[in-house]
Amino acid sequence: MSDSVFASVVQAPEDPILGVTVAYNKDQSPVKLNLGVGAYRTEEGKPLVLNVVRKAEQMLVNDQSRVKEYLPITGLADFNKLSAKLIFGANSPAIQENRVTTVQCLSGTGSLRVGAEFLARHYHEKTIYIPQPTWGNHPKVFTLAGLSVKSYRYYDPSTRGLDFSGLLEDLGSAPSGAIVLLHACAHNPTGVDPTSDQWEQIRQLMRSKGLLPFFDSAYQGFASGNLDADAESIRLFVADGGECLAAQSYAKNMGLYGERVGALSIVCKTADVATRVESQLKLVIRPMFSNPPIHGASIVATILKDGDMYTEWSVELKAMADRIISMRQQLYDALCARGTPGDWSHIIKQIGMFTFTGLNTNQVAFMTKEYHIYMTSDGRISMAGLSSKTVPHLADAIHAAVTSAA
Ligand code: PLA
């Protein structure tokens, strides 16, 4: 038999985040715990489908008028309108003035990719600045889309807080017009967000230099439990009349991970520009995936357009956010009770799905080997994967890692 034409293909490494789940699935231990990928679990450690989502799906199934035709290239029109309203606010002047184009994309990742390819084709500045650190997929998505990636200082390990002066300095010396990726809320992986005052200073600096904001909004409602509060940073930038991009994901806030439902919005100066921008977005999407899937977007549109269902969703969303916040407190208390060396107050100060523990690669490897706890090697743990029952096991593991591992 002759050699494969692919004989020279080398084995690729697992993804730093999704690969954690692959390793977890292979572990036979009954105490194993997956705190790698950001996926919400109940107190029983089970994935959660929201009641309101079940209800919407039932309505869709019962509606005999629904068909499975292709959606337009830009996706479900209702979904797009409602998504823009959700992120920019019900009374957003930009929406009222028809200056926003919104296209349905494949969850947050696909929205980032489509936005980045549009910029690579039609925007004069090809450099995008991303925070250091950031979600590990950002540099790959933007590079493959044809942008050149640089980073700006964001996190200071010594304070476990925002390196605000570093951030201002780096954005201040970025070339005018450069694109800047901003996490709208619940920064991944650090859990550290700018304050409202700091956002305002960032806005002033960026607008004065003509830097183009590209918001990644993967956690609206998950940070504070309030959908409007978590969109404040974006609304601040839209309120000044300037332009920006926003990538939205419904993976976390509606628990629609596998449905791959999200949206890219581009806020423009005029309605005329927005129309032309949308025509070009279609040229990006058509050869990439032709048009987006119908089911997830229909669920979202059903929920967002019905007042009662929207309220039900916000209540369920708040319950998820509150459970994560209570996990922070429980983990912090458990470490204090064990007298684990170090200051662990960042666990309760950080925001969103993740705690950036400060544990190093060796300590993480120790916890996986000795305690069957799976997390990303940068020391990030998904608080959403934790429950009251598993907190003691995690606290034991952290205590042992800090006191005995290198
Ligand atoms: N942007 C940020 C900041 C994210 O954290 C994630 C997901 C996405 C976009 C993309 O999500 P979506 O395409 O599923 O909508 N980050 C996860 C999962 C939760 C992942 O890595 O894919 C994470 O564990 O970091």
Side-chain angles (χ1 to χ4, degrees), residues 44-337:
E44 288 69 46
K46 297 276 185 305
L48 178 69
V49 179
L50 301 183
N51 284 327
V52 71
V53 166
R54 293 258 191 238
K55 208 184 272 181
E57 285 191 305
Q58 206 55 61
M59 286 165 64
L60 295 172
V61 168
N62 292 343
D63 181 353
Q64 294 298 319
S65 72
R66 286 180 52 81
V67 292
K68 304 287 188 188
E69 293 290 282
Y70 289 129
L71 285 178
I73 295 172
T74 53
L76 194 66
D78 266 1
F79 166 85
N80 290 335
K81 262 197 220 105
L82 293 157
S83 293
K85 202 171 130 190
L86 181 70
I87 196 152
F88 300 121
N91 304 314
S92 166
I95 296 178
Q96 281 156 12
E97 292 155 13
N98 294 315
R99 297 190 282 112
V100 184
T101 165
T102 304
V103 293
Q104 183 192 333
C105 296
L106 304 183
S107 212
T109 309
S111 307
L112 290 166
R113 177 67 187 257
V114 168
E117 293 221 8
F118 168 80
L119 292 172
R121 284 191 207 177
H122 300 285
Y123 186 59
H124 66 93
E125 175 57 65
K126 312 290 182 208
T127 306
I128 185 162
Y129 283 74
I130 60 174
Q132 172 59 34
T134 191
W135 180 46
N137 216 15
H138 278 150
K140 302 171 195 174
V141 167
F142 296 135
T143 304
L144 281 172
L147 296 175
S148 129
V149 176
K150 291 214 167 100
S151 63
Y152 62 88
R153 276 171 285 170
Y154 188 83
Y155 178 75
D156 181 353
S158 69
T159 61
R160 294 203 172 112
L162 188 67
D163 181 357
F164 191 52
S165 55
L167 178 152
L168 292 179
E169 223 176 278
D170 290 350
L171 295 187
S173 51
S176 103
I179 310 154
V180 179
L181 189 278
L182 299 162
H183 294 228
C185 70
H187 182 274
N188 177 11
T190 67
V192 173
D193 285 350
T195 62
S196 304
D197 281 355
Q198 288 170 334
W199 272 121
E200 173 54 19
Q201 285 183 61
I202 296 170
R203 187 194 66 77
Q204 284 176 17
L205 171 70
M206 286 184 56
R207 290 311 194 197
S208 74
K209 294 205 49 163
L211 301 175
L212 181 65
F214 192 161
F215 283 97
D216 183 355
S217 178
Y219 300 96
Q220 189 183 355
F222 245 81
S224 66
N226 182 301
L227 286 155
D228 290 313
D230 287 355
E232 243 171 49
S233 58
I234 299 185
R235 293 178 191 177
L236 190 70
F237 278 77
V238 176
D240 67 15
E243 302 181 298
C244 71
L245 289 82
Q248 270 172 283
S249 167
Y250 290 95
K252 272 68 70 169
N253 60 12
M254 246 184 232
L256 295 174
Y257 305 88
E259 296 290 355
R260 312 308 295 143
V261 50
L264 171 74
S265 286
I266 305 189
V267 179
C268 306
K269 276 275 164 77
T270 66
D272 180 46
V273 174
T275 306
R276 282 181 277 133
V277 165
E278 182 165 307
S279 72
Q280 291 294 340
L281 286 173
K282 288 161 74 173
L283 298 192
V284 174
I285 293 168
R286 172 65 167 148
M288 195 189 287
F289 53 87
S290 193
N291 49 73
I294 197 166
H295 187 66
S298 304
I299 297 173
V300 173
T302 303
I303 294 169
L304 294 185
K305 76 174 151 211
D306 179 289
D308 290 341
M309 290 179 95
Y310 183 95
T311 306
E312 198 177 333
W313 172 46
S314 3
V315 171
E316 287 190 83
L317 176 57
K318 172 121 188 3
M320 290 194 284
D322 284 349
R323 202 189 77 74
I324 296 171
I325 292 167
S326 107
M327 284 306 114
R328 291 186 180 280
Q329 190 65 47
Q330 290 185 32
L331 179 60
Y332 175 72
D333 291 346
L335 290 171
C336 292

Side-chain angles (χ1 to χ4, degrees), residues 348-359:
I348 41 181
K349 284 184 208 142
Q350 292 172 354
I351 294 158
M353 208 159 199
F354 304 107
T355 289
F356 206 44
T357 58
L359 294 164

